[in-house]
Amino acid sequence: MNAQECLNILRRIKDVAFATVDERGLPAIRIIDVMLTEEEKLYFCTSRGKDFYRQLMASGNVAITGMNREYQMVRLSGKAKRLPEQKKWIDRIFRENPSMNQVYPGESRYVLEPFCVDKGQVEFFDLGKSPIVRASFPLGEQTAEEKGFLITQDCIGCGICRESCPQGCIEEGEPFVIRQEHCLHCGLCFERCPAGAIERRGGKK
């Protein structure tokens, strides 16, 4: 699995959730079609009259998520930018997505503006497997953000974390080790560790 394959999953799902923040600082979410995915870039469009358009133009920050029938979920967070050569991109989007002609027939298509997300972070979750499988990938020039939990050298080897883990993804060692590719990030080990030896990845306790 890599970033492009994750974007391709979103493209196959097509109708996915896009989240932004409105002018009052409140979350806003809607279903938007993923129109193209190529070269680790995701393309979509929206009309200039929508609140979604105004929110994108104000900050560009967007979070995108979708789940397929195999319970594979992809989450993308990043910055959306409006593309130049608007008509060229809208025409291409309509060629790749011919059903759009029924929604915006003829010249009405040009009320739409094309956007691209090419920087951010992609997260993949396969919830159809046991234990679950997860992975993170940087998009563009971004660096992958570390999430979840880490067992430090303060570990006393009691095994309470291992016994508590719902996915059984903690291995015995000195210190014990969390298998990050199977971790739910639920924090149960963090809460139950009697030695306070578990910290959030990224240095936040």
Side-chain angles (χ1 to χ4, degrees), residues 100-153:
M100 290 293 292
N101 287 288
Q102 299 174 19
V103 184
Y104 291 96
E107 295 288 307
S108 69
R109 70 173 64 179
Y110 298 123
V111 74
L112 298 169
E113 292 286 345
F115 287 83
C116 172
V117 181
D118 60 0
K119 293 179 182 178
Q121 179 163 312
V122 182
E123 296 178 88
F124 171 77
F125 309 84
D126 193 335
L127 305 175
K129 292 184 177 179
S130 183
I132 63 101
V133 175
R134 72 182 306 142
S136 297
F137 309 98
L139 197 65
E141 300 173 355
Q142 300 289 109
T143 56
E145 179 184 354
E146 288 190 334
K147 296 182 179 181
F149 298 87
L150 178 71
I151 302 175
T152 70
Q153 293 296 329

Side-chain angles (χ1 to χ4, degrees), residues 35-106:
M35 296 299 185
L36 300 166
T37 54
E38 60 186 17
E39 298 178 352
E40 295 192 358
K41 298 176 183 179
L42 181 146
Y43 297 85
F44 65 97
C45 63
T46 190
S47 62
R48 291 186 293 273
K50 292 183 179 291
D51 290 341
F52 183 37
Y53 175 79
R54 293 202 306 275
Q55 292 157 14
L56 290 170
M57 295 303 294
S59 73
N61 294 321
V62 64
I64 303 164
T65 190
M67 178 182 284
N68 63 19
R69 293 183 178 181
E70 287 72 47
Y71 299 103
Q72 293 176 323
M73 185 174 73
V74 173
R75 181 167 60 201
L76 166 60
S77 56
K79 199 93 168 176
K81 62 182 181 182
R82 185 175 58 175
L83 295 170
E85 301 182 274
Q86 178 240 12
K87 288 189 175 182
K88 183 192 82 170
W89 280 106
I90 292 301
D91 287 344
R92 183 177 174 203
I93 284 171
F94 273 60
R95 285 196 301 272
E96 300 281 348
N97 302 270
S99 63
M100 290 293 292
N101 287 288
Q102 299 174 19
V103 184
Y104 291 96

Side-chain angles (χ1 to χ4, degrees), residues 151-168:
I151 302 175
T152 70
Q153 293 296 329
D154 293 332
C155 173
I156 59 176
C158 66
I160 291 176
C161 60
R162 184 181 182 186
E163 295 168 3
S164 301
C165 179
Q167 289 294 305

